[in-house]
Amino acid sequence: MLDRNRRNRDDPDIHSLDRGIPASDRLSCLPPEIAHRVLSLVADARSLARLSCASKQWSSVASRDAYWRPLFHSRWRSPRMRAAPSQAGRNDAPGAANAGRSSEAAGSPWQIEEVAWNKLYEYRHALERRWTSGQPERREFPLRPGEEISCLHKSLIVTSYSTGYTVLRRSDFSTVLTLPVALTPHVCLESEINADGTAILAAVSNETVQLWDLRTGESKAVLNGHQGTINSFGWIDSFIFSVDCREAKLWDAATGVLLHTIDSQPLGICIWNTDGHRLFSLSTDSRIRIWNPATGRCERVLVQCYPNAARTVYGRLLADHTYVVTSWRSLETSVWDVETGNLVSRIRGEGLAYRFPLGMNSVGLFTSGKELIHLWDIATGRNIRSFEAPMDLLLDCTAICFADETKQVGVILDFGSGIPYADYF
């Protein structure tokens, strides 16, 4: 052993390996293929970030999208975030396939150009920390007596009044445009803005919804034909849906032409909702059905939520790209996987009254409490934190919006302030 060590010290080839190389950057001498092999085995972002500090070469290699993109999706399971840098393959690992990238991002309203996935991971993590433990930025804007907040968009707020709807900018609450319309008394004053913020749907009577172009303020179509009061309406890609207690109608979003009518009475369907791409229904036999808006046909029955509660469904149905949330009699909230139909979690919240689901975003599920709003981790059913806010709130991925107790001041709790691209998560 001593002889071998002595020979190694005297070997000029051994000494030449370290000659002229700083001790802090010796890993740079390794071939890039070795760095790629090591980094491809990393399964968490913390370890990947630590390895990027090993050397200058590893720092460059570890920032590639090929490592950070799967880490992003495996942690947050967010198909909504289909962001892809426009320069395909600009920093992918050697030999990495890019075929699926352009097709996945093409035509997606959520595409972010020229942003590396390690930065998106950093921004998304910052947004999550802000929701779970940070303090939001609180901003207020005035409301007229009788004025209500009807829609919260990533860059806009819509308020409703007896004389019509007003569209405000979220940044400074300045008026973008006013949609004058004589609203029927006692109408449910709701509105919905499409994903790219170019059009708005708004109720003008109990049986009628009107479509406006937000860029010009012109009315594009009037959607009527319902015999009963419209319970809900919204956007599904290039389609519009509207629902009453008897039927659901699907319209062309560009022309306002009626495409399909679904008779919900034979199926006992009582609740409808959408994830932005598909239509979901919950019926009195407690079955969740998924509908194709292009054909107006049921694609599959996802699951029977409460087998022992036939014909007693009363509650709420929420849906996004990954989960479906159902609530029965406000006693229990269940979360289901959209693709498999498996139960993901149940939210019982012992000691927290009401527990009625209000909405969900990319961070978690919001339910009502006796005096607080509770935020839950969807995958585990764990209570993350609580907020002081009324039940009639509006929320998106970055903020909560509601009217205060006087009903004369609108309040925004902004959790995404200062975080780049927070609206896309």
Side-chain angles (χ1 to χ4, degrees):
M1 176 68 69
L2 293 176
D3 292 341
R4 185 168 65 243
N5 291 338
R6 189 179 298 111
R7 286 197 302 271
N8 289 341
R9 288 196 300 268
D10 297 336
D11 190 343
D13 295 332
I14 296 294
H15 287 286
S16 64
L17 292 176
D18 291 338
R19 190 175 301 160
I21 301 175
S24 61
D25 206 24
R26 289 175 181 173
L27 288 174
S28 297
C29 296
L30 296 176
E33 291 78 10
I34 295 180
H36 168 57
R37 177 59 179 167
V38 173
L39 295 174
S40 65
L41 300 175
V42 178
D44 65 282
R46 184 182 296 271
S47 299
L48 185 58
R50 287 176 175 175
L51 285 172
S52 68
C53 301
S55 70
K56 294 179 181 179
Q57 180 192 28
W58 283 42
S59 177
S60 175
V61 174
S63 65
R64 291 172 175 169
D65 294 341
Y67 311 122
W68 287 98
R69 186 180 184 183
L71 288 178
F72 186 102
H73 288 302
S74 64
R75 175 167 180 175
W76 289 295
R77 292 190 63 190
S78 180
R80 176 185 300 180
M81 258 304 308
R82 299 178 182 179
S86 60
Q87 301 174 9
R90 58 181 171 85
N91 60 353
D92 275 334
N98 300 314
R101 168 171 298 182
S102 59
S103 61
E104 185 181 34
S108 171
W110 302 100
Q111 182 177 357
I112 304 176
E113 295 185 355
E114 300 181 359
V115 182
W117 278 91
N118 62 332
K119 291 298 182 182
L120 293 178
Y121 193 102
E122 177 186 343
Y123 301 151
R124 176 63 178 80
H125 181 63
L127 179 63
E128 183 179 76
R129 291 187 61 183
R130 190 81 63 82
W131 272 103
T132 56
S133 60
Q135 294 297 321
E137 178 186 358
R138 181 186 175 101
R139 294 182 291 132
E140 299 180 350
F141 58 97
L143 295 174
R144 293 169 290 181
E147 189 174 15
E148 300 179 5
I149 305 171
S150 66
C151 180
L152 178 68
H153 189 258
K154 59 184 179 181
S155 60
L156 302 171
I157 301 173
V158 182
T159 63
S160 57
Y161 195 58
S162 59
T163 58
Y165 294 87
T166 303
V167 182
L168 308 173
R169 288 188 180 88
R170 271 177 59 167
S171 57
D172 56 6
F173 306 120
S174 60
T175 301
V176 177
L177 67 100
T178 300
L179 305 175
V181 59
L183 298 177
T184 303
H186 310 297
V187 66
C188 184
L189 302 176
E190 294 184 358
S191 59
E192 291 285 342
I193 298 177
N194 62 352
D196 56 7
T198 59
I200 180 174
L201 284 170
V204 295
S205 71
N206 288 329
E207 298 84 18
T208 306
V209 176
Q210 194 162 345
L211 173 64
W212 282 277
D213 189 322
L214 276 178
R215 295 164 295 189
T216 63
E218 297 179 356
S219 176
K220 299 176 63 177
V222 176
L223 313 181
N224 50 27
H226 283 277
Q227 301 301 316
T229 300
I230 296 177
N231 300 322
S232 62
F233 55 86
W235 301 87
I236 312 176
D237 288 332
S238 59
F239 304 95
I240 296 170
F241 81 94
S242 57
V243 176
D244 62 26
C245 59
R246 297 185 178 88
E247 59 189 12
K249 293 182 180 294
L250 292 163
W251 316 76
D252 186 287
T255 62
V257 174
L258 178 63
L259 301 176
H260 307 287
T261 299
I262 303 172
D263 187 358
S264 58
Q265 287 185 310
L267 299 175
I269 296 174
C270 55
I271 307 173
W272 295 83
N273 213 323
T274 178
D275 65 351
H277 299 282
R278 294 163 293 187
L279 190 62
F280 293 78
S281 68
L282 177 61
S283 55
T284 53
D285 61 359
S286 70
R287 295 183 186 273
I288 300 174
R289 292 176 171 84
I290 302 178
W291 302 78
N292 186 334
T295 63
R297 297 181 180 275
C298 178
E299 289 186 336
R300 61 191 176 105
V301 178
L302 182 62
V303 70
Q304 187 171 9
C305 308
Y306 310 102
N308 298 324
R311 308 201 66 78
T312 57
V313 172
Y314 171 74
R316 188 75 182 270
L317 173 69
L318 303 174
D320 70 359
H321 306 268
T322 308
Y323 302 108
V324 178
V325 178
T326 59
S327 177
W328 175 61
R329 289 185 175 178
S330 303
L331 299 178
E332 180 180 83
T333 298
S334 302
V335 181
W336 311 87
D337 188 287
V338 169
E339 300 303 325
T340 65
N342 295 332
L343 179 67
V344 177
S345 62
R346 291 191 190 277
I347 297 174
R348 294 184 174 89
E350 290 80 359
L352 302 177
Y354 302 113
R355 300 184 300 279
F356 193 72
L358 301 175
M360 60 178 169
N361 59 14
S362 58
V363 177
L365 173 68
F366 293 79
T367 65
S368 65
K370 187 174 183 180
E371 297 178 350
L372 299 172
I373 301 300
H374 305 287
L375 173 61
W376 306 82
D377 184 284
I378 295 180
T380 64
R382 178 179 61 90
N383 183 228
I384 298 175
R385 66 175 297 183
S386 301
F387 307 90
E388 292 185 6
M391 285 185 59
D392 54 343
L393 58 83
L394 299 172
L395 64 94
D396 64 4
C397 56
T398 63
I400 295 175
C401 186
F402 55 89
D404 70 355
E405 59 275 5
T406 67
K407 303 299 182 182
Q408 296 183 7
V409 176
V411 178
I412 287 187
L413 302 180
D414 192 348
F415 293 85
S417 177
I419 300 178
Y421 302 101
D423 293 337
Y424 290 85
F425 299 129

